[in-house]
Amino acid sequence: MSEPLVWLTVFILAIFVGNEVIAKVSSTLHTPLMSGANAIHGVILLGAVLVAGSADTTPVLVVALLAVVLASINMVGGFVVTDRMLQMFSGRRRIAKVDQRPGLPGGDTRELPR
């Protein structure tokens, strides 16, 4: 069996395994799963940088640099999304309410009761 066919087979099997793993995770575990995926993307970024550093030909260098860019975008985006999701579970801040009754110059600012 030729080497490209082996790599294509591994790639297709990885797609199916990844799809099955993600589909079986409950929704409460998505945030920790995303955090783990972000850590894995850090490893992928490191591997892409190593490949780019040892590239001998221009096509390999271009693909490696593309991998660096995509891994960086995916890793940073994953951390941003995880941060936003964690903020959804944190406590809400108190919002000041402006009293608009006539006769009060500029309004009165009070905090809303919980």
Side-chain angles (χ1 to χ4, degrees):
M1 190 180 282
S2 66
E3 187 174 346
L5 189 59
V6 170
W7 286 113
L8 181 64
T9 304
V10 169
F11 181 69
I12 291 173
L13 286 176
I15 289 173
F16 283 117
V17 169
N19 190 25
E20 286 298 316
V21 168
I22 296 296
K24 303 285 188 230
V25 173
S26 68
S27 61
T28 57
L29 294 176
H30 279 179
T31 301
L33 180 66
M34 286 179 60
S35 297
N38 292 336
I40 291 171
H41 281 282
V43 174
I44 291 171
L45 177 62
L46 180 64
V49 168
L50 290 175
V51 169
S54 65
D56 295 332
T57 61
T58 302
V60 172
L61 180 63
V62 169
V63 170
L65 291 177
L66 181 66
V68 168
V69 170
L70 291 177
S72 299
I73 290 171
N74 199 7
M75 189 175 73
V76 171
F79 280 119
V80 168
V81 169
T82 301
D83 186 52
R84 288 187 69 188
M85 289 179 71
L86 290 176
Q87 285 179 357
M88 289 172 47
F89 294 111
S90 65
R92 295 180 184 236
R93 293 185 209 152
R94 297 182 129 190
I95 301 172
K97 180 180 179 182
V98 176
D99 193 354
Q100 296 291 333
R101 289 184 289 181
L104 295 175
D108 185 20
T109 305
R110 298 181 193 164
E111 289 189 2
L112 291 173
R114 283 196 154 196

